[in-house]
Amino acid sequence: AQSVTQLGSHVSVSEGALVLLRCNYSSSVPPYLFWYVQYPNQGLQLLLKYTTGATLVKGINGFEAEFKKSETSFHLTKPSAHMSDAAEYFCAVSKIQGAQKLVFGQGTRLTINP
Amino acid sequence: KAGVTQTPRYLIKTRGQQVTLSCSPISGHRSVSWYQQTPGQGLQFLFEYFSETQRNKGNFPGRFSGRQFSNSRSEMNVSTLELGDSALYLCASRDRDLNEQFFGPGTRLTVL
């Protein structure tokens, strides 16, 4: 079985500060890992994904994440927060074959302080 | 390409009624998945269809059902609605080559 734990349901940072959203996963098979962002009253938008290969993954809007197998982690970072980054972020895992069924973490609401 | 579309966007029903939600995937995508999002339970997988066949199913009661048509459009149905069915229902279509799911804007269902 697979599961995802996002540490911190709410994270608040100042504009221009580092953003760090934590995600740990559990998977009995090599996983695919994803970060999605959700703005109010909208669906989910893919920020980045890890499938195979390079463990440091760059995504849209300046976000990146590093897959650390030894720590079973896939933390999301952005060097400098922008007001437009305020949203809810979801980490998700799927089995390596096909990514048909995503298992999501509970989400982290990111607030940016001016 | 147009994105995933879901209709209706908002829906209000009363307990005991049934509801049908519709999802049109991105052109060329043959796999459609449905998820339920609630404040308490978060995002939970309902089911996935590929070429008109249900391939995966989440842990939901039989009141939740779905189908997929030959043009890949999908519908999900919830019968005998309960208050706890109030949620945002998200549909996603999958790009097989990219191993990515693209989500629609969702249908917000309120059960009174």
Side-chain angles (χ1 to χ4, degrees):
Chain A
Q2 298 169 305
S3 66
V4 175
T5 301
Q6 290 184 238
L7 298 177
S9 58
H10 290 87
V11 170
S12 181
V13 302
S14 298
E15 191 174 18
L18 171 72
V19 175
L20 171 60
L21 304 182
R22 300 177 187 273
C23 172
N24 287 89
Y25 70 91
S26 171
S27 178
S28 56
V29 297
Y32 282 175
L33 294 159
F34 306 83
W35 274 100
Y36 284 87
V37 62
Q38 185 177 36
Y39 298 100
N41 299 316
Q42 295 187 27
L44 302 175
Q45 180 183 10
L46 182 67
L47 280 176
L48 48 80
K49 66 179 180 182
Y50 169 78
T51 54
T52 58
T55 56
L56 181 62
V57 180
K58 294 187 184 298
I60 62 171
N61 301 338
F63 285 93
E64 63 181 37
E66 186 171 10
F67 170 60
K68 292 187 176 180
K69 184 177 179 180
S70 61
E71 298 177 9
T72 60
S73 69
F74 191 56
H75 302 331
L76 181 71
T77 61
K78 182 174 180 177
S80 177
H82 192 272
M83 295 299 290
S84 61
D85 295 327
E88 188 145 21
Y89 292 79
F90 293 92
C91 181
V93 64
S94 75
K95 291 182 179 180
I96 202 163
Q97 290 296 326
Q100 293 102 325
K101 174 183 174 182
L102 293 171
V103 175
F104 286 91
Q106 284 295 99
T108 298
R109 183 167 298 279
L110 177 64
T111 302
I112 311 297
N113 302 312
Chain B
K1 285 184 180 178
V4 177
T5 58
Q6 292 187 245
T7 56
R9 291 292 311 277
Y10 302 90
L11 205 50
I12 299 175
K13 293 286 188 179
T14 56
R15 280 182 300 174
Q17 288 187 309
Q18 75 165 11
V19 67
T20 300
L21 312 181
S22 180
C23 171
S24 292
I26 292 172
S27 176
H29 290 187
R30 295 166 62 191
S31 168
V32 172
S33 296
W34 289 88
Y35 294 82
Q36 182 197 62
Q37 185 177 22
T38 60
Q41 299 298 317
L43 279 154
Q44 294 184 286
F45 172 79
L46 280 157
F47 28 64
E48 184 235 352
Y49 286 86
F50 179 81
S51 293
E52 302 179 66
T53 301
Q54 187 182 89
R55 282 204 304 195
N56 289 286
K57 189 177 189 304
N59 189 26
F60 279 81
R63 300 185 297 106
F64 291 82
S65 63
R67 59 177 176 169
Q68 186 180 33
F69 302 94
S70 58
N71 62 358
S72 295
R73 189 177 70 86
S74 177
E75 289 181 346
M76 68 163 282
N77 183 275
V78 187
S79 62
T80 319
L81 284 166
E82 301 177 0
L83 295 179
D85 297 332
S86 294
L88 181 67
Y89 290 88
L90 293 165
C91 167
S93 73
R94 186 171 71 88
D95 184 311
R96 187 175 182 178
D97 294 330
L98 294 177
N99 280 308
E100 290 179 21
Q101 292 198 27
F102 295 83
F103 284 81
T107 294
R108 183 163 298 280
L109 172 65
T110 302
V111 182
L112 302 175

